[in-house]
Amino acid sequence: MSTRNRLLILVAAAAVLACVAGAAVWHASDRAARRNTEQAGGPPVVQGAVSLAPAGPRLMVFRNMAWGPHRDELATVPAASPGATRTASGVRCLRFHAAAGTGICLQSVHGTVQDTYRAVVLDSHLKETRHYPLNGIPTRARVSPSGHLAAWTVFVGGDSYAGTDFSTRTSLLDVRTGALDASLEDFTILKDGHRYRAADVNFWGVTFADDGHFYATLATGGSTYLIRGDIAARTVTTLRPNVECPSLSPDGTRLVFKKRVPGLSPDAPWRLYALDLATLRETPLAETRSVDDQAVWTDDRTVAYSLPGDFGADLYTVPADGTGTPRTLTPAALAPAYIG
């Protein structure tokens, strides 16, 4: 082949690649623009005041995923009427949780070259009181029942819990003092009655029992474990294998979690289970789809969780005792917290 023909082929290839890249950028830009445009048939959303300490009926606060000008904003509806018109706050969060007038909001900060992330502590009026830079992609957030402590998890490497090739960082914050434990990896691990150290240790999915103790997931050696943490002693103790993203019931007696079930697809390996902490008896819940989320208790009988939806995610509920059937709670929503 002549030099001239080689050059022509290279020029043609470069032109094709430029067209493909241009089309990809245009498609992404067009989709982003459409996300900011309200879609027909979507949940109604209006701008208004949102409080994390209401004096009236119980509320659900969550990340609004409906396309339109209020996408990704914290929004609220009456807990008894999840399909009601949403009130959007103007505060945007990727992950969120709240309790006792304190909120934790994991945000993206758009930069000229790339996005960065931060954890923002919110007061009951959604005003920022503190913020902390994050060194990964936000994925889990929790506030203790008293509102005194907050926890969050970010992906440092990898993009999914489904496999094993990922790294996380989980932090604990005392909201009152600003004291931050940047990584649970600094805590002493007690596994099978002995101190344990390994380079592959990861933690995620904190749920608080009180201001001194929490449950979470520990991963190491290709397995996951339920752990109980003691903040004052700076220890975590393994309790049970194959437990991920635990969520403690309001009465403190049960955990709902996602469990890897043999024989399922490696990309969708989980089922929701409940664990009675007194008897350590497991009960599979009636949701048979794979749930990659940390469930939230709506009350002592029911849990809410997200599944992929047309606009990113939809919320569902299912009884926590293994009976009943899953029900749609509300579409285009993520990261709920119940207030009041």
Side-chain angles (χ1 to χ4, degrees):
M1 184 182 294
S2 68
T3 301
R4 180 174 179 276
N5 287 341
R6 289 194 182 96
L7 287 173
L8 288 173
I9 291 172
L10 286 173
V11 169
V16 170
L17 289 174
C19 289
V20 170
V25 170
W26 176 85
H27 178 74
S29 176
D30 177 66
R31 183 173 176 82
R34 285 189 290 119
R35 284 182 175 180
N36 293 326
T37 303
E38 188 173 343
Q39 301 296 301
V45 187
V46 298
Q47 186 76 39
V50 173
S51 173
L52 299 183
R58 195 165 185 246
L59 300 176
M60 182 175 73
V61 183
F62 56 95
R63 175 185 170 189
N64 172 52
M65 301 289 286
W67 287 11
H70 302 295
R71 181 178 170 83
D72 296 329
E73 293 182 17
L74 293 182
T76 188
V77 293
S81 303
T85 297
R86 301 175 178 187
T87 300
S89 65
V91 177
R92 284 185 161 86
C93 303
L94 298 177
R95 286 286 176 173
F96 167 77
H97 193 248
T102 298
I104 188 70
C105 170
L106 307 187
Q107 296 180 330
S108 64
V109 181
H110 299 295
T112 54
V113 178
Q114 64 179 13
D115 290 352
T116 57
Y117 304 96
R118 65 179 195 159
V120 179
V121 180
L122 303 173
D123 67 13
S124 62
H125 302 291
L126 298 188
K127 301 300 183 183
E128 178 182 323
T129 62
R130 303 177 186 273
H131 70 265
Y132 301 84
L134 301 177
N135 61 352
I137 300 171
T139 180
R140 305 286 181 238
R142 279 295 185 272
V143 175
S144 66
S146 68
H148 294 162
L149 302 176
W152 58 80
T153 299
V154 299
F155 273 121
V156 179
D159 59 4
S160 172
Y161 289 114
T164 58
D165 185 18
F166 64 85
S167 178
T168 61
R169 183 71 50 82
T170 295
S171 304
L172 294 179
L173 172 70
D174 189 318
V175 173
R176 299 161 296 180
T177 66
L180 177 68
D181 279 307
S183 176
L184 284 185
E185 293 173 30
D186 296 330
F187 279 42
T188 297
I189 300 170
L190 302 176
K191 182 175 179 287
D192 301 325
H194 304 283
R195 288 187 174 229
Y196 178 83
R197 295 175 64 93
D200 68 345
V201 163
N202 280 296
F203 294 93
W204 65 84
V206 167
T207 183
F208 289 100
D210 51 43
D211 286 345
H213 303 89
F214 62 89
Y215 297 93
T217 297
L218 161 68
T220 185
S223 298
T224 59
Y225 301 87
L226 173 66
I227 58 166
R228 180 174 170 85
D230 185 316
I231 296 174
R234 296 181 63 78
T235 61
V236 297
T237 302
T238 59
L239 301 179
R240 189 177 186 86
N242 198 8
V243 172
E244 299 183 54
C245 293
S247 183
L248 186 64
S249 62
D251 62 10
T253 64
R254 289 157 294 154
L255 290 167
V256 162
F257 63 96
K258 60 180 191 177
K259 174 181 178 177
R260 292 176 187 262
V261 177
L264 298 183
S265 166
D267 297 322
W270 299 290
R271 292 291 184 269
L272 287 179
Y273 278 72
L275 176 68
D276 186 296
L277 290 173
T279 64
L280 295 184
R281 178 172 175 259
E282 288 185 0
T283 301
L285 304 193
E287 175 59 81
T288 58
R289 292 167 291 187
S290 183
V291 176
D292 183 9
D293 193 18
Q294 186 172 17
V296 171
W297 291 75
T298 68
D299 52 40
D300 278 324
R301 301 175 300 279
T302 308
V303 293
Y305 51 93
S306 69
L307 288 169
D310 291 340
F311 299 102
D314 298 329
L315 291 177
Y316 296 82
T317 61
V318 72
D321 62 1
T323 65
T325 58
R327 297 180 181 273
T328 301
L329 177 63
T330 189
L334 186 66
Y338 285 83
I339 309 299

